[in-house]
Amino acid sequence: MNVVFVVPYAMETTLRFARRTGELPGVRLGVISQEPGEVLMRELNGKMQAFERVDDALDPDQLQRAARNIASHFGGKVERLLGVLEQLQEPLAVVRERLKIRGMDLAEARNFRDKARMKDALRAGGVPCARHRLCRTQDEAFAFAREVLPLVAKPPDGAGARNTQRLDSRDQLAAWMQSFPPSAAQPLLLEEFVQGKEHSFDSVMLHGKLVWSSISEYTPGPLEVMENPWIQWCVVLPRRVDGDQYDPIRREGQRALEVLGMHTGLSHMEWFRRADGSIAISEVGARPPGAQFTTLLSFAHDLDFYRAWSELMVNETFAPPVRNWAVGAVFLRGQGGARVDKVHGVERVQKELGELVVQARIPRPGQPKSESYEGEGYVIVRHAETEVVRTALNRVLELIQVEMA
């Protein structure tokens, strides 16, 4: 199987997916990257058998030329073209169509990448989601604000809550549009701010059928974390997620994926449960989840989900695992300053919770401040009982403080 993996930059998570792909029996791995080939060969433990460097890994024309060169090197057709970054999904789909490579096509990729198009498709399919409007003028934005407040402003092709802001009034909307004026070329997506408990729904579709799913809880949601630098974000994967209370998201989550065109893949969906028990789907990514979620899934199921994703995308096989553990993560964020100065409380956590901690990345002095809500580090804990995990996460929040300078 000739597989080409696009690795724009030598990012740890992307490399781990690519490494697992190269380890699959019978796979010849070609890599396209903006990084030098010697860097990728070292990082991929020698699993890379062909390489092409490009100036812009998001440019489908450059990707197409590179993929053809790798196919020539292999002496055969490229049979899989893969990548895990959100921004890559449309360029990959373009090249798949041009080179007739099996996988998600452009129309399907746009359904997931263009958030306004996604919402239109979901609402047309009767899937519950937030009200929205794609605004090309300020008048259109103010008209929507007369109908819906509070609301959320975001770019149509956004990812990871970047450039996303809650707006509670017309005055706040006007101020926002001073910095991000809507236009035909760069419209502004406005959505109803759904009030409720935020979760994720990670799932595997295989040949158009939902074969596995996982539910996570956010405390609080990423948008609130982005707006409040002092908040440490937590994620919990409860051990039991097969109860009746999750029937609505399992049902609507599957319908959403069918409407958007997911055929085979691991997807990450964010959704809300309102106070009245109803749900609303926020958005869906047609790629593995970020923010250490794949690692959390691995610990919860005693399964290497990085390899499981590779087998799913290359061989189109997936054996649904059993959830053996509750798992949670605290994302450590420093306040103020540009670099990590000191980290307090690590020894106390080791002493009190050592047996529960299965992985941690403690911020290092001198480390630059992260631009993401994931912060400068994290601690992952695991136990058979969900409440033990929740208590441990709260204790990590109390004990570890990241001091910036």
Side-chain angles (χ1 to χ4, degrees):
M1 179 82 74
N2 296 326
V3 179
V4 172
F5 207 114
V6 182
V7 182
Y9 301 101
M11 300 167 63
E12 177 187 352
T13 300
T14 303
L15 290 169
R16 189 167 179 181
F17 280 110
R19 196 178 298 120
R20 292 294 183 267
T21 302
E23 292 169 354
L24 295 180
V27 163
R28 289 191 290 187
L29 180 66
V31 175
I32 301 172
S33 180
Q34 296 171 208
E35 300 277 9
E38 56 270 22
V39 171
L40 272 299
M41 181 60 78
R42 181 181 67 249
E43 295 290 345
L44 296 176
N45 298 335
K47 298 298 181 182
M48 182 176 72
Q49 295 166 283
F51 175 77
E52 287 289 321
R53 190 174 185 182
V54 295
D55 295 326
D56 183 0
L58 299 181
D59 181 348
D61 294 333
Q62 294 185 44
L63 291 181
Q64 180 178 344
R65 286 193 294 270
R68 279 179 165 162
N69 289 341
I70 291 175
S72 178
H73 175 83
F74 284 155
K77 178 177 172 17
V78 172
E79 294 160 284
R80 298 288 188 272
L81 179 63
L82 306 177
V84 295
L85 297 185
E86 172 82 9
Q87 298 85 345
L88 268 174
Q89 300 314 308
E90 279 195 54
L92 292 176
V94 170
V95 179
R96 288 193 197 103
E97 289 193 354
R98 291 177 181 176
L99 300 184
K100 295 180 170 48
I101 299 171
R102 183 175 174 87
M104 180 172 285
D105 64 25
L106 181 57
E108 293 161 351
R110 282 180 174 163
N111 282 345
F112 288 93
R113 182 74 178 124
D114 184 328
K115 306 311 179 190
R117 175 174 170 144
M118 174 190 296
K119 294 292 196 313
D120 288 340
L122 293 177
R123 293 188 74 82
V127 178
C129 62
R131 289 177 289 172
H132 73 286
R133 186 167 301 171
L134 190 63
C135 303
R136 295 171 176 82
T137 67
Q138 293 194 8
D139 287 343
E140 289 178 346
F142 284 129
F144 184 69
R146 283 195 292 271
E147 301 172 14
V148 178
L149 277 176
L151 50 80
V152 177
K154 61 174 66 174
D157 60 352
R162 292 178 177 86
N163 295 328
T164 299
Q165 180 69 45
R166 172 178 171 171
L167 304 172
D168 294 309
S169 68
R170 285 171 52 87
D171 289 343
Q172 289 183 358
L173 174 59
W176 177 260
M177 289 191 292
Q178 291 297 314
S179 300
F180 300 95
S183 65
Q186 291 185 312
L188 176 65
L189 177 60
L190 298 179
E191 291 182 5
E192 169 192 10
F193 178 78
V194 180
Q195 302 194 46
K197 177 69 175 175
E198 189 168 0
H199 303 72
S200 71
F201 180 79
D202 300 290
S203 62
V204 169
M205 293 283 279
L206 181 59
H207 302 149
K209 295 183 178 179
L210 183 71
V211 296
W212 171 88
S213 64
S214 168
I215 292 167
S216 309
E217 302 172 359
Y218 295 172
T219 308
L223 179 56
E224 185 177 349
V225 175
M226 288 287 288
E227 294 176 340
N228 299 280
W230 57 271
I231 290 180
Q232 311 272 43
W233 186 43
C234 290
V235 175
V236 175
L237 279 64
R239 182 177 181 184
R240 297 296 304 273
V241 291
D242 54 356
D244 294 346
Q245 71 269 32
Y246 296 121
D247 284 347
I249 186 56
R250 281 191 287 265
R251 181 178 61 252
E252 300 299 344
Q254 179 172 353
R255 288 181 59 208
L257 293 169
E258 292 170 348
V259 165
L260 297 175
M262 173 64 77
H263 184 260
T264 294
L266 170 62
S267 64
H268 178 69
M269 180 183 301
E270 294 176 341
W271 61 283
F272 293 86
R273 190 190 298 277
R274 299 185 179 94
D276 64 4
S278 65
I279 70 167
I281 291 172
S282 176
E283 54 189 54
V284 196
R287 38 75 185 168
Q292 303 301 321
F293 269 74
T294 307
T295 299
L296 294 171
L297 290 170
S298 299
F299 280 122
H301 298 86
D302 291 317
L303 174 71
D304 184 344
F305 257 84
Y306 295 89
R307 183 182 176 94
W309 176 86
S310 298
E311 292 176 337
L312 174 69
M313 302 309 295
V314 172
N315 300 322
E316 298 185 5
T317 60
F318 183 81
V322 175
R323 186 112 136 193
N324 298 319
W325 306 91
V327 179
V330 173
F331 294 89
L332 305 172
R333 306 174 76 206
Q335 300 177 41
R339 293 187 178 276
V340 175
D341 185 32
K342 298 176 183 177
V343 182
H344 307 281
V346 175
E347 291 183 359
R348 287 284 303 279
V349 167
Q350 291 175 326
K351 182 177 180 180
E352 293 186 21
L353 307 173
E355 62 183 12
L356 300 179
V357 176
V358 290
Q359 191 173 104
R361 178 179 296 156
I362 303 302
R364 304 179 310 276
Q367 178 180 331
K369 183 176 179 62
S370 171
E371 296 180 359
S372 167
Y373 56 83
E374 297 173 38
E376 288 70 49
Y378 61 85
V379 175
I380 297 175
V381 300
R382 180 173 75 168
H383 192 271
E385 297 181 19
T386 302
E387 288 310 311
V388 173
V389 167
R390 295 187 200 278
T391 300
L393 293 178
N394 287 334
R395 193 61 179 144
V396 174
L397 286 171
E398 294 171 355
L399 293 176
I400 295 185
Q401 299 296 323
V402 181
E403 187 176 330
M404 310 292 285

